[in-house]
């Protein structure tokens, strides 16, 4: 009887604790996060519990239109039924083996992407920053093995304002002052030049014959949605070819239909030597990234020179394959192109004393708020209250990157919320 009493008390204590967790208020959930989690990121104070299509719901049942899409990741919309089905089916069959063995989804995804995008091989990883690291490793190995750069001399050039993650390599490539306080020493031979400046690029190539790669974003996302001038990508291709330097296009954010074409490089039609993908490749369901390159480059990484425990898992590959098929079959690049024009047309009407500039292409856009008008964070709080979710970048640039499944009616709903909040701001 005594043992039974102890068990009953234990059972009721578990039930009581479970009930307590179930009925936590939004503020209690936020307070718990702040107490037990890292403080390296500042979330907008809203606690989300469910998503469907272009909408999100918080724990109090309030509905929001999402203009962030997980930082351009949930391009297929929340809980897309095809992705949910594929994930459930594959997770119930075989989720993970590591690359110690073969599995059918690995080659299936590689074949689909290489034939769709036009490179010889695809190497899957997990996160966008891992894709960037992999591209740099590939480039340096190619520099030593193929270009014959002297040992220890292979340099990589990056554009000012770049962002490809938070690893030490990514910090070393950055020009953000926040990356240079108590994180060093940094990766050597990472050099920077101004973005959208082919003259500076050629000068750097002329100064250093040991440059193996130039890594850049066809449209800079985190820098504030900076679109280069027409012809810049063409000149990058010409210069990299002339000086025997690999062009690495970081399309983790811009790739896969976000800017109104399948890839952002397609706006000019010039092909990089290495392409990095991520974000939308995951469908927002399971982290997947990777790089595409031809044999001469990809085969520089022989057995044992690279790897990832989860990269190329059956679950990740199956989700990624379905994610890209959805983008293609639902014509989401065309949707981004069409709605991007409406977005530009409508937001360009915002008075200049409120928003000084609209930037963007397709459904990757930023509205630059006048500093004298309001702080970007405060505006995002008011947008949250009005039923629209997004976040600022660089303090004053309101991001606009909704799921690519958004309809014109839903887009106009969001534009109306945004402009109404701005015009009634106090």
């Amino acid at each position: 009887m005594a043992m039974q009493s102890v068990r009953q008390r234990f059972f009721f204590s578990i039930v009581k604790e479970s009930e307590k967790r179930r009925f936590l208020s939004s503020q209690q959930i936020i307070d718990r996060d702040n107490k037990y989690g890292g403080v390296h990121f500042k979330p907008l104070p809203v606690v989300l519990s469910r998503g469907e299509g272009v909408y999100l719901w918080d724990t109090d049942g309030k509905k929001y239109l999402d203009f962030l899409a997980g930082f351009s990741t949930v391009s297929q919309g929340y809980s897309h039924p095809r992705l949910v089905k594929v994930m459930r089916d594959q997770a119930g069959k075989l989720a993970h083996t590591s690359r110690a063995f073969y599995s059918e989804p690995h080659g299936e995804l590689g074949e689909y992407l290489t034939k769709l995008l036009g490179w010889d091989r695809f190497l899957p990883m997990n996160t966008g920053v891992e894709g960037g690291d992999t591209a740099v490793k590939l480039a340096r190995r190619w520099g030593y093995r193929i270009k014959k750069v002297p040992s220890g001399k292979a340099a990589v050039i990056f554009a000012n304002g770049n962002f490809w993650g938070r690893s030490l390599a990514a910090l070393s490539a950055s020009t953000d002052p926040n990356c240079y306080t108590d994180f060093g020493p940094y990766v050597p031979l990472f050099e920077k030049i101004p973005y959208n400046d082919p003259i500076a690029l050629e000068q750097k190539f002329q100064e250093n014959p040991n440059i193996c790669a130039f890594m850049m974003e066809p449209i800079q996302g985190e820098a504030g949605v900076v679109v280069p001038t027409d012809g810049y990508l063409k000149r990058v291709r010409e210069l990299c070819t002339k000086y025997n330097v690999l062009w690495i296009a970081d399309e983790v954010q811009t790739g896969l239909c976000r800017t109104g074409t399948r890839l952002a490089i397609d706006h000019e039609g010039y092909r990089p030597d290495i392409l990095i993908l991520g974000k939308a490749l995951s469908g927002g369901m399971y982290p997947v990234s990777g790089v595409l390159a031809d044999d001469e480059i990809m085969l520089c990484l022989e057995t044992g020179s690279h790897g990832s425990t989860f990269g190329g898992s059956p679950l990740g590959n199956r989700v990624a394959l379905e994610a890209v098929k959805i983008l293609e079959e639902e014509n989401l690049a065309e949707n981004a192109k069409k709605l991007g024009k409406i977005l530009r047309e409508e937001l360009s009407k915002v008075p200049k004393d409120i928003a000084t500039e609209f930037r963007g292409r397709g459904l990757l856009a930023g509205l630059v708020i006048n500093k004298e008008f309001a702080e970007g964070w405060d505006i995002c709080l008011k947008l949250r209250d009005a039923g629209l979710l997004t976040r600022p970048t660089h303090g004053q640039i309101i991001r606009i990157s909704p799921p690519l499944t958004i309809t014109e009616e839903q887009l106009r709903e969001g534009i109306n919320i945004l402009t109404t909040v701005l015009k009634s701001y106090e």
Side-chain angles (χ1 to χ4, degrees), residues 18 24 49 113 116-117 140 153 179 208 237 240 252 262 266 327 334 342 374 386 414:
S18 176
L24 288 179
S49 62
L113 287 178
L116 179 71
L117 301 175
R140 280 189 161 170
K153 300 291 185 180
C179 295
N208 186 355
R237 178 67 279 169
C240 286
V252 169
R262 183 179 287 146
D266 294 340
L327 294 171
E334 183 59 33
I342 295 172

Coordinates of all heavy atoms in Angstrom, one line a residue, residues 18 24 49 113 116-117 140 153 179 208 237 240 252 262 266 327 334 342 374 386 414:
S18 N 2.5 18.7 -15.9 CA 2.0 18.8 -17.3 C 0.9 19.8 -17.5 O 0.9 20.6 -18.5 CB 1.6 17.4 -17.7 OG 1.1 17.4 -19.0
L24 N 0.5 27.7 -19.5 CA 1.4 28.8 -19.4 C 0.9 30.0 -20.3 O 0.5 29.8 -21.4 CB 2.8 28.5 -19.8 CG 3.7 27.5 -18.9 CD1 5.0 27.3 -19.5 CD2 3.8 28.1 -17.5
S49 N 2.3 29.0 -32.3 CA 2.0 27.6 -32.0 C 1.5 26.8 -33.2 O 1.5 25.6 -33.2 CB 0.9 27.5 -30.9 OG -0.3 28.1 -31.4
L113 N 18.3 17.7 -58.9 CA 18.8 19.0 -58.9 C 19.9 19.3 -60.0 O 19.9 20.4 -60.5 CB 19.5 19.3 -57.5 CG 18.5 19.5 -56.3 CD1 19.3 19.7 -55.0 CD2 17.6 20.6 -56.5
L116 N 18.0 19.7 -63.2 CA 17.1 20.9 -63.2 C 18.0 22.2 -63.3 O 17.6 23.1 -64.0 CB 16.3 21.0 -61.9 CG 15.4 22.2 -61.7 CD1 14.2 22.1 -62.6 CD2 14.9 22.3 -60.2
L117 N 19.1 22.2 -62.6 CA 19.9 23.4 -62.5 C 21.2 23.4 -63.4 O 21.7 24.5 -63.6 CB 20.3 23.6 -61.0 CG 19.1 23.8 -60.0 CD1 19.6 23.9 -58.6 CD2 18.2 24.9 -60.4
R140 N 39.3 26.2 -52.1 CA 40.7 26.1 -51.7 C 41.3 24.8 -52.2 O 42.5 24.8 -52.7 CB 40.8 26.3 -50.2 CG 40.7 27.7 -49.8 CD 41.0 27.9 -48.3 NE 41.4 29.3 -48.0 CZ 41.5 29.8 -46.8 NH1 41.4 29.0 -45.7 NH2 41.9 31.0 -46.6
K153 N 48.6 29.5 -49.4 CA 48.5 30.9 -50.0 C 47.1 31.1 -50.6 O 46.9 32.2 -51.1 CB 49.6 31.1 -51.1 CG 51.0 31.0 -50.6 CD 51.3 32.1 -49.6 CE 52.8 32.1 -49.2 NZ 53.1 33.2 -48.3
C179 N 31.0 41.2 -35.5 CA 31.7 39.9 -35.7 C 33.1 39.9 -35.2 O 33.8 38.9 -35.2 CB 31.7 39.5 -37.2 SG 30.1 39.2 -37.9
N208 N 46.8 40.0 -56.6 CA 47.1 38.7 -55.9 C 46.8 37.5 -56.9 O 45.6 37.2 -57.1 CB 46.3 38.6 -54.6 CG 46.6 37.3 -53.8 OD1 47.4 36.5 -54.3 ND2 46.0 37.2 -52.7
R237 N 31.4 37.2 -63.9 CA 31.7 36.0 -64.7 C 32.9 36.2 -65.6 O 33.8 35.4 -65.7 CB 30.5 35.6 -65.5 CG 30.6 34.4 -66.4 CD 30.8 33.0 -65.6 NE 32.2 32.8 -65.2 CZ 32.6 31.9 -64.3 NH1 31.7 31.1 -63.8 NH2 33.9 31.8 -64.0
C240 N 36.2 36.5 -63.4 CA 36.6 35.2 -62.8 C 37.2 34.3 -63.9 O 38.1 33.5 -63.6 CB 35.4 34.6 -62.1 SG 35.0 35.4 -60.5
V252 N 21.7 30.9 -50.9 CA 21.0 30.3 -49.8 C 19.6 31.0 -49.6 O 18.6 30.4 -49.4 CB 21.8 30.4 -48.5 CG1 21.0 30.0 -47.3 CG2 23.0 29.4 -48.6
R262 N 14.0 31.1 -61.1 CA 14.4 29.9 -60.3 C 15.6 30.2 -59.4 O 15.7 29.8 -58.3 CB 14.8 28.8 -61.3 CG 15.1 27.5 -60.6 CD 15.4 26.4 -61.7 NE 14.2 25.9 -62.3 CZ 14.1 25.5 -63.6 NH1 15.1 25.6 -64.4 NH2 12.9 25.1 -64.1
D266 N 19.7 33.9 -62.6 CA 19.0 33.8 -63.9 C 18.5 35.2 -64.4 O 18.2 35.3 -65.6 CB 17.8 32.9 -63.7 CG 18.2 31.4 -63.5 OD1 19.3 31.1 -63.8 OD2 17.4 30.7 -62.9
L327 N 7.9 23.9 -55.6 CA 8.2 25.2 -56.2 C 8.1 25.2 -57.7 O 7.6 26.1 -58.3 CB 9.7 25.6 -55.8 CG 9.9 25.8 -54.4 CD1 11.4 26.0 -54.1 CD2 9.2 27.1 -53.9
E334 N 7.1 32.3 -60.9 CA 6.2 33.2 -61.7 C 5.3 34.0 -60.7 O 5.1 35.2 -60.9 CB 5.4 32.4 -62.7 CG 4.5 33.3 -63.5 CD 5.2 34.3 -64.4 OE1 6.4 34.0 -64.8 OE2 4.7 35.4 -64.6
I342 N 3.7 44.1 -58.0 CA 2.6 44.7 -57.2 C 3.2 45.3 -55.9 O 2.9 46.4 -55.5 CB 1.5 43.7 -56.9 CG1 0.8 43.3 -58.2 CG2 0.5 44.3 -55.9 CD1 -0.2 42.2 -58.0
A374 N 10.6 56.7 -37.3 CA 10.4 55.6 -36.3 C 11.5 54.6 -36.3 O 12.3 54.5 -37.3 CB 9.1 55.0 -36.5
A386 N -1.2 44.6 -35.3 CA -2.2 44.7 -36.4 C -2.4 43.4 -37.1 O -3.2 43.3 -38.1 CB -1.8 45.8 -37.3
G414 N -1.6 42.2 -46.6 CA -0.4 42.6 -45.9 C 0.1 44.0 -46.2 O 0.5 44.7 -45.3

